[in-house]
Amino acid sequence: MQEDLFGANREESIGPGAMILRGFALDVGLLVGIAAVAAQAPFRHMLTPGGKQIGVEMTNCGAFGWVSDRRGYRYAPRDPLTDLPWPKMPDLFLSLATRAAQQAGFSGFRPDACLINRYAPGVKMGLHQDRDEAGFDAPIVSVSLGLPATFQFGGTDRRDPVARHTLQHGDVVVWGGVSRLAWHGILTLKPGQHPETGATRLNLTFRQAGYR
Ligand code: MD3
Ligand code: FE
């Protein structure tokens, strides 16, 4: 069990198969990797199938990237902005995600997609399920950086009660088992300044999209 300087438990189970690893991504140098990815595949506002701009800015790395446009949500091997393959997933990202999954009890996690979300104050992500992947056996690993956010975490039924958790810079969450299909979202980001990211929250989600 990982403990902090004061001996407190830094792993919190927040549901069946769902675990927060507080501070797991500190001092790993992820921000440099994100900057390198964004230099090749810039952050952009994607469109919903209804034609509205998504408030969160997104980019991807890995073999597949999550994209949304008027044709729907899907994973694609190329960046629609440049028609180039998405940037390679940095080794640092891959090893962090695999170690986090392992720590939470999921061995053999091999993400082939990493969606990078960028939030400015005032931006939120409404309650949704992640169901665009080819299968749901593998967990999802998420990493929070920069400004803190309030995360909403419900059950597999839209009407299930929703719990709230604050996610801080360096926190990693692993979502497996029945929590893999839980409804979740991010409340409107509050204004603030973070020493490493400024007025920004970044979130990485590692997935086995599984498309071939
Ligand atoms: C629970 N991102 O990209 S991370 C997403 O902070 C997404 O940007 C949020 O939801 C963010 O799809 C939340 C936490 C998270 C990610 C994936 C999950 C929670 C999840 C998948 C299943 C259940
Ligand atoms: Fe999600």
Side-chain angles (χ1 to χ4, degrees):
M1 182 126 328
Q2 190 188 347
E3 295 186 347
D4 68 15
L5 277 176
F6 308 101
N9 185 3
R10 300 270 283 162
E11 293 180 2
E12 299 167 32
S13 171
I14 57 168
M19 182 165 282
I20 304 186
L21 310 173
R22 296 280 180 200
F24 195 89
L26 290 174
D27 311 318
V28 181
L30 293 177
L31 290 169
V32 174
I34 294 171
V37 169
Q40 281 181 255
F43 284 99
R44 81 295 301 267
H45 291 284
M46 296 186 189
L47 293 180
T48 66
K52 285 181 55 176
Q53 272 205 2
I54 295 175
V56 178
E57 294 179 283
M58 299 174 172
T59 186
N60 293 277
C61 61
F64 298 97
W66 186 85
V67 297
S68 178
D69 59 21
R70 286 192 177 77
R71 287 151 50 206
Y73 309 126
R74 65 195 172 279
Y75 284 91
R78 289 173 176 272
D79 179 350
L81 267 189
T82 60
D83 205 37
L84 294 171
W86 293 106
K88 180 184 177 300
M89 197 183 297
D91 291 338
L92 208 69
F93 287 25
L94 196 58
S95 79
L96 176 83
T98 302
R99 283 189 292 112
Q102 176 91 46
Q103 180 84 11
F106 299 94
S107 60
F109 182 54
R110 293 291 175 268
D112 55 12
C114 174
L115 171 64
I116 310 176
N117 294 321
R118 186 166 76 184
Y119 294 74
V123 169
K124 68 178 162 105
M125 184 179 284
L127 271 188
H128 65 278
Q129 290 175 299
D130 289 15
R131 339 191 28 127
D132 300 322
E133 299 73 30
F136 308 121
D137 291 344
I140 289 181
V141 172
S142 82
V143 179
S144 292
L145 296 170
L147 290 178
T150 304
F151 174 71
Q152 290 185 294
F153 181 46
T156 53
D157 189 312
R158 179 77 175 78
R159 296 158 297 186
D160 288 339
V162 171
R164 290 179 175 186
H165 301 275
T166 301
L167 296 179
Q168 305 273 1
H169 181 71
D171 288 349
V172 176
V173 195
V174 180
W175 318 87
V178 302
S179 293
R180 172 65 182 76
L181 286 171
W183 287 80
H184 59 278
I186 293 286
L187 296 187
T188 304
L189 198 75
K190 292 187 181 131
Q193 283 289 330
H194 186 276
E196 293 192 45
T197 67
T200 305
R201 172 175 185 264
L202 293 160
N203 178 265
L204 294 84
T205 53
F206 295 91
R207 302 123 187 276
Q208 281 182 201
Y211 285 58
R212 291 290 168 254

